[in-house]
Amino acid sequence: MALQSKLIQYPQLLLIILLAVTVTLQHVAAAADELQGRPQQGMWRPGCRDKCGGMSIPFPFGIDKPGCFLPGFEVTCNTSSTPPRAFLAYNYPNPPYEVIDQSTFDAAGSTGYTARYPPVELFDISLETSEVRVYGGVTSRCFTNSTGVFEKGEYLTLDMYGPFLLSPRNDLVGVGWSVKSSMSYQIKPYPDPLSCSSNSPFRLAAPNGSCSGGLACCQIPLPPPWPNLPVTETAVILKAGSNFWETNPCSYGMVVERSWYNFTSEDLNGYEVLSKKLSRGFPLVLDFAIRNGRCEHDACPSGNSSCVEAANDREGHVCKCWDHYQGNPYIANGCQDIDECQLREQSPEFRDLYPCDGICTNIPGGYDCRCKRGMKGDAKKGNCTEIFPLPAKIIVGIAGFIVVFIIMIMAKQRQKLKKFYEQNGGPILNGVKNIRIYTRKQLKQITNNYESVIG
Ligand SMILES: *[C@@H]1O[C@H](CO)[C@@H](O)[C@H](O)[C@H]1NC(C)=O
Ligand SMILES: *[C@@H]1O[C@H](CO)[C@@H](O)[C@H](O)[C@H]1NC(C)=O
Ligand SMILES: *[C@@H]1O[C@H](CO)[C@@H](O)[C@H](O)[C@H]1NC(C)=O
Ligand SMILES: *[C@@H]1O[C@H](CO)[C@@H](O)[C@H](O)[C@H]1NC(C)=O
Ligand SMILES: *[C@@H]1O[C@H](CO)[C@@H](O)[C@H](O)[C@H]1NC(C)=O
């Protein structure tokens, strides 16, 4: 009896022990990963500051000292504000810089002019997309009274030979009852300025949120050849007599990251409403590239990365980590393998990006995904199916049960037989010479199937 109950208990015990071992192993692996800490290694040059405030400054961008950045990629970090703010370093009159000029006019003509050239504030650097995002200004033209006009130009000046170019991911936007917003630049041959116009003689505004129909708001994407133009200037031309200076004195123009500006009729009412809406300005996207040199064999210092010629027809290149690698392709050993499986555990966003309906294993340059035990199919596509469907499992289960049952009965019978053999002096008889013990089969033969009696 004890043997039987042990037989039943054993498989369960084994299973529990196996489970415990795998769980412990998994814990050990996780702990090892935690210990290593997986720091974002190789994003910065040794001895260089990696951050300005909360913003990461990866090489070729850098702060403070030569050697921490490539030419044109210097960033200044102004720590007198909280949190500190980052700017593209510049050395007037060498761009990049912001131009803020202000003019006043009355009926007789110009009555005043001032200009400032502050640095361009940086708020995002992406090595993955080779883009930076900066705060751009809003150019405005407002009536101050029935004859007086105040005009403020806020625009970016970029170096023709520097790393930065206006990205085609921006729009030119104009806001006003009747306004022409245009961009001009100082490059020869002078191309036609890009412009858009709104005209609402009956003071119909575009619906909130969009900027369609040329009603009180206009918007036009920067076409792809435009990023080649190094200098951008947004000018707003107010059409005569189009404003009602008491209630809607201003018109606005700006270059802004696509889909960032949402029109609202509120922006039409009041003095300098749009230009004061955001204290630092509207986001503007700039492409960057290393301008001195095309892709050569050692243009990108990191392994696991490749060099790409700059996105426009100006000389230059950018470096990209290969797919499934991350880090900084601009420094040695900068691109490291992404552990997709670990990321998957961290957030649902990565579960969508790296699909796996099974057992995920990280491998250099990707990840492996196999169906769980007892299943087959493409686990990355999520179509794992059971190798044995349920009915088959039931049949196999029942068959197995029957086999076990038969074995148990046979074992019992054997035991019984042994008992009888012992009870009837089997071992003693066996020990005695001249006595022959017949097996059941032999007896059956001799007795002619138990029909004839033997003496
Ligand atoms: C830092 O910012 C403050 C104002 O926030 C300004 O007065 C100062 O000139 C800036 N310093 C530098 C070095 O640009
Ligand atoms: C209109 O405003 C300007 C400056 O904003 C001022 O110089 C001018 O005198 C004003 N004109 C009238 C008629 O109030
Ligand atoms: C647009 O939104 C403003 C408030 O943000 C509201 O006052 C105005 O009535 C809205 N205009 C339309 C056409 O819905
Ligand atoms: C503009 O509107 C879109 C859609 O309604 C929204 O997703 C987006 O966040 C808005 N942008 C800003 C800057 O408010
Ligand atoms: C390439 O990636 C692998 C996996 O992360 C890493 O071990 C190796 O050091 C990288 N090679 C270089 C040259 O960075």
mmCIF file of all heavy atoms in Angstrom, residues 319-349:
data_model
loop_
_atom_site.group_PDB
_atom_site.id
_atom_site.type_symbol
_atom_site.label_atom_id
_atom_site.label_comp_id
_atom_site.label_asym_id
_atom_site.label_seq_id
_atom_site.Cartn_x
_atom_site.Cartn_y
_atom_site.Cartn_z
ATOM 1 N N CYS A 319 25.529 58.993 -38.566
ATOM 2 C CA CYS A 319 25.787 57.615 -38.183
ATOM 3 C C CYS A 319 24.550 57.057 -37.488
ATOM 4 O O CYS A 319 23.879 57.776 -36.748
ATOM 5 C CB CYS A 319 26.972 57.539 -37.231
ATOM 6 S SG CYS A 319 28.494 58.156 -37.971
ATOM 7 N N LYS A 320 24.277 55.797 -37.747
ATOM 8 C CA LYS A 320 23.106 55.159 -37.135
ATOM 9 C C LYS A 320 23.517 53.805 -36.574
ATOM 10 O O LYS A 320 24.218 53.043 -37.253
ATOM 11 C CB LYS A 320 22.019 54.902 -38.188
ATOM 12 C CG LYS A 320 21.615 56.135 -38.960
ATOM 13 C CD LYS A 320 20.277 56.644 -38.507
ATOM 14 C CE LYS A 320 19.905 57.883 -39.300
ATOM 15 N NZ LYS A 320 18.850 58.648 -38.729
ATOM 16 N N CYS A 321 23.049 53.501 -35.363
ATOM 17 C CA CYS A 321 23.216 52.141 -34.854
ATOM 18 C C CYS A 321 22.346 51.230 -35.706
ATOM 19 O O CYS A 321 21.288 51.636 -36.167
ATOM 20 C CB CYS A 321 22.756 52.050 -33.394
ATOM 21 S SG CYS A 321 23.832 52.890 -32.228
ATOM 22 N N TRP A 322 22.805 49.994 -35.920
ATOM 23 C CA TRP A 322 21.984 49.047 -36.665
ATOM 24 C C TRP A 322 20.666 48.826 -35.938
ATOM 25 O O TRP A 322 20.547 49.092 -34.747
ATOM 26 C CB TRP A 322 22.708 47.695 -36.775
ATOM 27 C CG TRP A 322 23.900 47.711 -37.667
ATOM 28 C CD1 TRP A 322 24.165 48.589 -38.676
ATOM 29 C CD2 TRP A 322 25.001 46.796 -37.616
ATOM 30 N NE1 TRP A 322 25.354 48.273 -39.272
ATOM 31 C CE2 TRP A 322 25.891 47.173 -38.642
ATOM 32 C CE3 TRP A 322 25.305 45.698 -36.814
ATOM 33 C CZ2 TRP A 322 27.075 46.486 -38.874
ATOM 34 C CZ3 TRP A 322 26.478 45.017 -37.056
ATOM 35 C CH2 TRP A 322 27.349 45.409 -38.085
ATOM 36 N N ASP A 323 19.710 48.267 -36.682
ATOM 37 C CA ASP A 323 18.460 47.854 -36.051
ATOM 38 C C ASP A 323 18.796 46.890 -34.911
ATOM 39 O O ASP A 323 19.712 46.073 -35.050
ATOM 40 C CB ASP A 323 17.584 47.101 -37.064
ATOM 41 C CG ASP A 323 16.877 48.067 -38.010
ATOM 42 O OD1 ASP A 323 16.991 49.288 -37.785
ATOM 43 O OD2 ASP A 323 16.248 47.591 -38.966
ATOM 44 N N HIS A 324 18.051 46.980 -33.857
ATOM 45 C CA HIS A 324 18.235 46.127 -32.673
ATOM 46 C C HIS A 324 19.515 46.457 -31.884
ATOM 47 O O HIS A 324 19.945 45.663 -31.051
ATOM 48 C CB HIS A 324 18.189 44.633 -33.024
ATOM 49 C CG HIS A 324 16.855 44.203 -33.573
ATOM 50 N ND1 HIS A 324 15.762 44.019 -32.773
ATOM 51 C CD2 HIS A 324 16.438 43.969 -34.841
ATOM 52 C CE1 HIS A 324 14.734 43.672 -33.523
ATOM 53 N NE2 HIS A 324 15.117 43.647 -34.781
ATOM 54 N N TYR A 325 20.139 47.589 -32.200
ATOM 55 C CA TYR A 325 21.251 48.092 -31.385
ATOM 56 C C TYR A 325 20.892 49.509 -30.964
ATOM 57 O O TYR A 325 20.177 50.211 -31.678
ATOM 58 C CB TYR A 325 22.560 48.098 -32.181
ATOM 59 C CG TYR A 325 23.113 46.714 -32.390
ATOM 60 C CD1 TYR A 325 22.686 45.945 -33.458
ATOM 61 C CD2 TYR A 325 24.031 46.169 -31.494
ATOM 62 C CE1 TYR A 325 23.164 44.656 -33.643
ATOM 63 C CE2 TYR A 325 24.511 44.888 -31.676
ATOM 64 C CZ TYR A 325 24.082 44.136 -32.750
ATOM 65 O OH TYR A 325 24.552 42.868 -32.915
ATOM 66 N N GLN A 326 21.396 49.918 -29.821
ATOM 67 C CA GLN A 326 21.117 51.271 -29.376
ATOM 68 C C GLN A 326 22.360 51.872 -28.751
ATOM 69 O O GLN A 326 23.283 51.156 -28.376
ATOM 70 C CB GLN A 326 19.976 51.267 -28.357
ATOM 71 C CG GLN A 326 20.381 50.631 -27.034
ATOM 72 C CD GLN A 326 19.250 50.571 -26.033
ATOM 73 O OE1 GLN A 326 18.176 51.102 -26.267
ATOM 74 N NE2 GLN A 326 19.503 49.918 -24.907
ATOM 75 N N GLY A 327 22.346 53.187 -28.635
ATOM 76 C CA GLY A 327 23.486 53.860 -28.032
ATOM 77 C C GLY A 327 23.963 54.974 -28.937
ATOM 78 O O GLY A 327 23.170 55.614 -29.614
ATOM 79 N N ASN A 328 25.257 55.195 -28.923
ATOM 80 C CA ASN A 328 25.811 56.318 -29.649
ATOM 81 C C ASN A 328 26.794 55.864 -30.730
ATOM 82 O O ASN A 328 27.897 55.425 -30.427
ATOM 83 C CB ASN A 328 26.511 57.262 -28.668
ATOM 84 C CG ASN A 328 26.858 58.574 -29.315
ATOM 85 O OD1 ASN A 328 27.027 58.652 -30.534
ATOM 86 N ND2 ASN A 328 26.950 59.607 -28.507
ATOM 87 N N PRO A 329 26.369 55.963 -32.013
ATOM 88 C CA PRO A 329 27.245 55.502 -33.100
ATOM 89 C C PRO A 329 28.448 56.408 -33.323
ATOM 90 O O PRO A 329 29.336 56.048 -34.095
ATOM 91 C CB PRO A 329 26.319 55.518 -34.325
ATOM 92 C CG PRO A 329 25.288 56.544 -34.004
ATOM 93 C CD PRO A 329 25.095 56.501 -32.517
ATOM 94 N N TYR A 330 28.491 57.559 -32.636
ATOM 95 C CA TYR A 330 29.573 58.514 -32.866
ATOM 96 C C TYR A 330 30.773 58.285 -31.958
ATOM 97 O O TYR A 330 31.743 59.031 -32.030
ATOM 98 C CB TYR A 330 29.058 59.959 -32.709
ATOM 99 C CG TYR A 330 27.998 60.304 -33.730
ATOM 100 C CD1 TYR A 330 26.648 60.193 -33.419
ATOM 101 C CD2 TYR A 330 28.343 60.727 -35.012
ATOM 102 C CE1 TYR A 330 25.668 60.498 -34.361
ATOM 103 C CE2 TYR A 330 27.383 61.030 -35.955
ATOM 104 C CZ TYR A 330 26.043 60.915 -35.625
ATOM 105 O OH TYR A 330 25.079 61.210 -36.562
ATOM 106 N N ILE A 331 30.683 57.290 -31.067
ATOM 107 C CA ILE A 331 31.857 56.977 -30.253
ATOM 108 C C ILE A 331 32.115 55.477 -30.246
ATOM 109 O O ILE A 331 31.202 54.676 -30.479
ATOM 110 C CB ILE A 331 31.755 57.521 -28.808
ATOM 111 C CG1 ILE A 331 30.488 57.061 -28.137
ATOM 112 C CG2 ILE A 331 31.804 59.019 -28.772
ATOM 113 C CD1 ILE A 331 30.333 57.712 -26.792
ATOM 114 N N ALA A 332 33.388 55.123 -30.008
ATOM 115 C CA ALA A 332 33.790 53.716 -30.073
ATOM 116 C C ALA A 332 32.954 52.870 -29.117
ATOM 117 O O ALA A 332 32.679 53.297 -27.986
ATOM 118 C CB ALA A 332 35.275 53.590 -29.740
ATOM 119 N N ASN A 333 32.534 51.696 -29.554
ATOM 120 C CA ASN A 333 31.712 50.774 -28.761
ATOM 121 C C ASN A 333 30.408 51.403 -28.291
ATOM 122 O O ASN A 333 29.868 51.027 -27.249
ATOM 123 C CB ASN A 333 32.487 50.251 -27.540
ATOM 124 C CG ASN A 333 33.716 49.492 -27.953
ATOM 125 O OD1 ASN A 333 33.666 48.681 -28.869
ATOM 126 N ND2 ASN A 333 34.838 49.778 -27.324
ATOM 127 N N GLY A 334 29.935 52.388 -29.045
ATOM 128 C CA GLY A 334 28.727 53.102 -28.621
ATOM 129 C C GLY A 334 27.445 52.318 -28.848
ATOM 130 O O GLY A 334 26.497 52.457 -28.096
ATOM 131 N N CYS A 335 27.409 51.504 -29.896
ATOM 132 C CA CYS A 335 26.167 50.784 -30.219
ATOM 133 C C CYS A 335 26.174 49.413 -29.574
ATOM 134 O O CYS A 335 27.019 48.578 -29.898
ATOM 135 C CB CYS A 335 25.994 50.644 -31.726
ATOM 136 S SG CYS A 335 25.787 52.210 -32.563
ATOM 137 N N GLN A 336 25.263 49.181 -28.670
ATOM 138 C CA GLN A 336 25.176 47.910 -27.960
ATOM 139 C C GLN A 336 23.844 47.254 -28.242
ATOM 140 O O GLN A 336 22.856 47.924 -28.534
ATOM 141 C CB GLN A 336 25.358 48.134 -26.454
ATOM 142 C CG GLN A 336 26.741 48.662 -26.079
ATOM 143 C CD GLN A 336 27.852 47.657 -26.329
ATOM 144 O OE1 GLN A 336 27.671 46.459 -26.144
ATOM 145 N NE2 GLN A 336 29.000 48.145 -26.781
ATOM 146 N N ASP A 337 23.849 45.942 -28.129
ATOM 147 C CA ASP A 337 22.651 45.164 -28.426
ATOM 148 C C ASP A 337 21.494 45.559 -27.507
ATOM 149 O O ASP A 337 21.693 45.812 -26.324
ATOM 150 C CB ASP A 337 22.980 43.680 -28.237
ATOM 151 C CG ASP A 337 21.791 42.806 -28.520
ATOM 152 O OD1 ASP A 337 21.179 42.986 -29.583
ATOM 153 O OD2 ASP A 337 21.469 41.961 -27.669
ATOM 154 N N ILE A 338 20.306 45.626 -28.069
ATOM 155 C CA ILE A 338 19.106 45.888 -27.268
ATOM 156 C C ILE A 338 18.611 44.555 -26.723
ATOM 157 O O ILE A 338 18.507 43.586 -27.472
ATOM 158 C CB ILE A 338 17.999 46.529 -28.140
ATOM 159 C CG1 ILE A 338 18.421 47.910 -28.633
ATOM 160 C CG2 ILE A 338 16.679 46.609 -27.392
ATOM 161 C CD1 ILE A 338 17.456 48.542 -29.611
ATOM 162 N N ASP A 339 18.310 44.493 -25.432
ATOM 163 C CA ASP A 339 17.705 43.285 -24.866
ATOM 164 C C ASP A 339 16.187 43.412 -24.990
ATOM 165 O O ASP A 339 15.507 43.911 -24.097
ATOM 166 C CB ASP A 339 18.128 43.103 -23.408
ATOM 167 C CG ASP A 339 17.689 41.750 -22.852
ATOM 168 O OD1 ASP A 339 16.792 41.131 -23.470
ATOM 169 O OD2 ASP A 339 18.229 41.319 -21.829
ATOM 170 N N GLU A 340 15.693 42.969 -26.145
ATOM 171 C CA GLU A 340 14.269 43.145 -26.445
ATOM 172 C C GLU A 340 13.392 42.434 -25.410
ATOM 173 O O GLU A 340 12.327 42.936 -25.061
ATOM 174 C CB GLU A 340 13.930 42.605 -27.839
ATOM 175 C CG GLU A 340 14.566 43.370 -28.990
ATOM 176 C CD GLU A 340 15.976 42.888 -29.307
ATOM 177 O OE1 GLU A 340 16.476 42.012 -28.567
ATOM 178 O OE2 GLU A 340 16.572 43.389 -30.272
ATOM 179 N N CYS A 341 13.874 41.269 -24.942
ATOM 180 C CA CYS A 341 13.053 40.484 -24.012
ATOM 181 C C CYS A 341 12.881 41.217 -22.691
ATOM 182 O O CYS A 341 11.810 41.221 -22.099
ATOM 183 C CB CYS A 341 13.672 39.122 -23.783
ATOM 184 S SG CYS A 341 13.842 38.190 -25.310
ATOM 185 N N GLN A 342 13.975 41.846 -22.249
ATOM 186 C CA GLN A 342 13.885 42.588 -20.992
ATOM 187 C C GLN A 342 12.961 43.801 -21.162
ATOM 188 O O GLN A 342 12.142 44.083 -20.284
ATOM 189 C CB GLN A 342 15.275 43.039 -20.569
ATOM 190 C CG GLN A 342 15.351 43.296 -19.085
ATOM 191 C CD GLN A 342 16.626 44.001 -18.687
ATOM 192 O OE1 GLN A 342 17.357 44.515 -19.539
ATOM 193 N NE2 GLN A 342 16.895 44.045 -17.417
ATOM 194 N N LEU A 343 13.093 44.499 -22.295
ATOM 195 C CA LEU A 343 12.234 45.649 -22.546
ATOM 196 C C LEU A 343 10.767 45.234 -22.572
ATOM 197 O O LEU A 343 9.911 45.939 -22.056
ATOM 198 C CB LEU A 343 12.614 46.317 -23.873
ATOM 199 C CG LEU A 343 13.953 47.038 -23.890
ATOM 200 C CD1 LEU A 343 14.219 47.622 -25.272
ATOM 201 C CD2 LEU A 343 13.982 48.153 -22.850
ATOM 202 N N ARG A 344 10.530 44.061 -23.183
ATOM 203 C CA ARG A 344 9.156 43.556 -23.254
ATOM 204 C C ARG A 344 8.538 43.425 -21.868
ATOM 205 O O ARG A 344 7.353 43.650 -21.678
ATOM 206 C CB ARG A 344 9.130 42.172 -23.916
ATOM 207 C CG ARG A 344 9.185 42.194 -25.429
ATOM 208 C CD ARG A 344 9.214 40.781 -25.955
ATOM 209 N NE ARG A 344 8.175 39.959 -25.333
ATOM 210 C CZ ARG A 344 6.904 39.980 -25.678
ATOM 211 N NH1 ARG A 344 6.518 40.735 -26.667
ATOM 212 N NH2 ARG A 344 6.016 39.242 -25.045
ATOM 213 N N GLU A 345 9.389 43.021 -20.910
ATOM 214 C CA GLU A 345 8.874 42.850 -19.554
ATOM 215 C C GLU A 345 8.597 44.191 -18.898
ATOM 216 O O GLU A 345 7.820 44.281 -17.969
ATOM 217 C CB GLU A 345 9.864 42.044 -18.709
ATOM 218 C CG GLU A 345 9.709 40.568 -18.941
ATOM 219 C CD GLU A 345 10.838 39.759 -18.351
ATOM 220 O OE1 GLU A 345 11.427 40.194 -17.353
ATOM 221 O OE2 GLU A 345 11.130 38.683 -18.915
ATOM 222 N N GLN A 346 9.275 45.234 -19.405
ATOM 223 C CA GLN A 346 9.154 46.538 -18.751
ATOM 224 C C GLN A 346 7.893 47.299 -19.147
ATOM 225 O O GLN A 346 7.284 47.948 -18.307
ATOM 226 C CB GLN A 346 10.382 47.402 -19.037
ATOM 227 C CG GLN A 346 11.554 47.034 -18.153
ATOM 228 C CD GLN A 346 12.848 47.612 -18.649
ATOM 229 O OE1 GLN A 346 12.869 48.488 -19.516
ATOM 230 N NE2 GLN A 346 13.945 47.112 -18.129
ATOM 231 N N SER A 347 7.513 47.246 -20.425
ATOM 232 C CA SER A 347 6.324 48.027 -20.784
ATOM 233 C C SER A 347 5.599 47.458 -21.994
ATOM 234 O O SER A 347 6.198 46.853 -22.872
ATOM 235 C CB SER A 347 6.704 49.490 -21.011
ATOM 236 O OG SER A 347 6.990 49.703 -22.372
ATOM 237 N N PRO A 348 4.283 47.680 -22.037
ATOM 238 C CA PRO A 348 3.436 47.147 -23.105
ATOM 239 C C PRO A 348 3.833 47.705 -24.480
ATOM 240 O O PRO A 348 3.672 47.030 -25.486
ATOM 241 C CB PRO A 348 2.032 47.601 -22.726
ATOM 242 C CG PRO A 348 2.130 48.401 -21.504
ATOM 243 C CD PRO A 348 3.537 48.427 -21.031
ATOM 244 N N GLU A 349 4.364 48.909 -24.457
ATOM 245 C CA GLU A 349 4.796 49.555 -25.703
ATOM 246 C C GLU A 349 5.814 48.668 -26.425
ATOM 247 O O GLU A 349 5.749 48.463 -27.641
ATOM 248 C CB GLU A 349 5.407 50.900 -25.304
ATOM 249 C CG GLU A 349 6.029 51.723 -26.368
ATOM 250 C CD GLU A 349 6.921 52.794 -25.727
ATOM 251 O OE1 GLU A 349 6.680 53.162 -24.538
ATOM 252 O OE2 GLU A 349 7.844 53.226 -26.403
#
